Amino acid sequence: MSAWRTALLPPVLAIAFAVVLSSVALIVSGADPLHAFGTMAAQLGEGTTSVDTVNLATVYYLAGLAVAVGFQMNLFNIGVEGQYRFAAVVAAIVGAAMELPPVLHVPAILVVAVLSGALYALLPAILKVTRGVHEVITTIMLNSIVFGLVAWLINPDNFGQLQGNNVSTPEIAPTGRIPGIPFGEAGTVFGAVFGAAALGFGYWYLLNRTRFGFELRASGESPSAAAAGGVDAKRMTVTAMLLSGAVAGLIAMPELLGRDYTYAMTATQGYGFTGIAVALLGRNHPGGIALGALLWAFLDKSAVSLESIGVPREIATIMQGTIVLAVVVAYEIVRRAELAAEQRRVGRTLREGGPASVHEGGAV
């Protein structure tokens, strides 16, 4: 089976299965599937939906990359949710307190966000390599702890301020903001979309063109084999977790520096968990993650249109869930089919070349 078929067939099968299952749910609820899907597609041309989809996909893409870094090392970093929220509030506080020229202000905020995300990922990394504590346990616990940390940090008695009925960090000055790309009435695309694309390229280059990337993937595939080759598995585990946390620290930056300029208690949550689904859908490849992020953002933004025709917007949630489940199954089916095809090719080669090889060996 060719490489492109192995890469493209599973997500196509998964999306097709999700459409079929969602169609069944629509029919059961008394709705017309074609009308519902057509309404969702038409929503892209309405108002700012297209721009909003790209902006949300930018955030999802960063979340997917953060999760994918851990996946490369067979680390299930569920703590991306807590890491990005901790980094967002710290970066917002520090960014609002700093007075720097534009060329320094934004990079300084991004550095703070990266370091904060990595710092919040350090504890599970240390517990993993020193005590063997599974990262899922520690990161879930830290996700719960971050709610209290955020509430304490943005409390008006500490670093926050009261704005109406909401509590948030002080507003970041214009010098600390990332300019967007205006599209008139269609909205403004986050300028951070270029940074996200650059980060995706850096992720690909790191994994495929550097020794560190090779060691990271080798350690994830077989820690014992990597150790036999001189790779320090514990060091790679800590490094991968810190890199995952560092990327997680950037997840909220497109919104923080491109739209909101403050971090409030009412800020959107759940990006870290969405990143898990996006990384699975994209199979940890930067291109696949980008497509998965766009699909996920489209389903989120277009789901609102379903209510206008009397269809529950939860249909989009059903599609998202079935896509994730189906893509995992589809990749396994394709992998087994590819393995069986390879075994057949090897067997056919041996049968065809065996007698000749024996004859040549006897002549010698």
Side-chain angles (χ1 to χ4, degrees), residues 63-331:
L65 287 179
V67 175
V69 172
F71 279 166
Q72 293 291 346
M73 188 64 193
N74 275 339
L75 294 172
F76 201 178
N77 184 14
I78 295 182
V80 167
E81 177 71 17
Q83 291 152 18
Y84 98 78
R85 296 194 67 207
F86 176 75
V89 70
V90 172
I93 292 171
V94 175
M98 290 190 298
E99 295 182 3
L100 296 172
V103 292
L104 297 178
H105 202 167
V106 171
I109 295 175
L110 296 179
V111 169
V112 170
V114 167
L115 293 178
S116 300
L119 177 64
Y120 208 69
L122 180 60
L123 180 58
I126 292 176
L127 292 175
K128 172 79 172 180
V129 299
T130 60
R131 292 292 182 264
V133 181
H134 202 284
E135 68 276 3
V136 171
I137 298 174
T138 51
T139 52
I140 285 178
M141 294 174 64
L142 287 172
N143 281 344
S144 300
I145 293 173
V146 81
F147 291 102
L149 281 175
V150 170
W152 182 83
L153 286 169
I154 65 176
N155 188 295
D157 294 333
N158 297 313
F159 302 100
Q161 61 183 21
L162 185 63
Q163 294 183 349
N165 295 325
N166 196 14
V167 179
S168 68
T169 61
E171 188 172 284
I172 296 174
T175 55
R177 302 173 184 178
I178 299 178
I181 307 167
F183 281 89
E185 295 181 356
T188 301
V189 174
F190 290 148
V193 67
F194 296 107
L199 188 64
F201 175 79
Y203 165 80
W204 172 85
Y205 186 87
L206 181 71
L207 289 179
N208 298 282
R209 292 293 185 270
T210 67
R211 178 177 177 178
F212 171 79
F214 171 78
E215 292 179 349
L216 182 68
R217 289 183 287 110
S219 299
E221 291 289 339
S222 177
S224 58
V231 179
D232 188 340
K234 290 185 177 181
R235 179 179 63 84
M236 296 304 297
T237 297
V238 173
T239 304
M241 185 63 79
L242 291 180
L243 281 176
S244 182
V247 177
L250 296 172
I251 292 174
M253 294 303 103
E255 294 181 343
L256 178 64
L257 304 183
R259 185 189 65 198
D260 301 332
Y261 315 123
T262 64
Y263 190 85
M265 283 295 293
T266 56
T268 305
Q269 304 174 15
Y271 289 151
F273 298 118
T274 300
I276 297 174
V278 171
L280 287 173
L281 185 57
R283 298 299 289 179
N284 302 327
H285 188 281
I289 294 173
L291 294 176
L294 282 170
L295 174 61
W296 212 267
F298 162 72
L299 292 174
D300 277 346
K301 291 300 180 181
S302 63
V304 180
S305 64
L306 293 176
E307 296 178 345
S308 64
I309 59 174
V311 176
R313 62 181 301 175
E314 284 72 22
I315 291 297
T317 305
I318 293 175
M319 290 189 67
Q320 291 172 332
T322 53
I323 286 173
V324 174
L325 291 175
V327 78
V328 174
V329 175
Y331 270 105

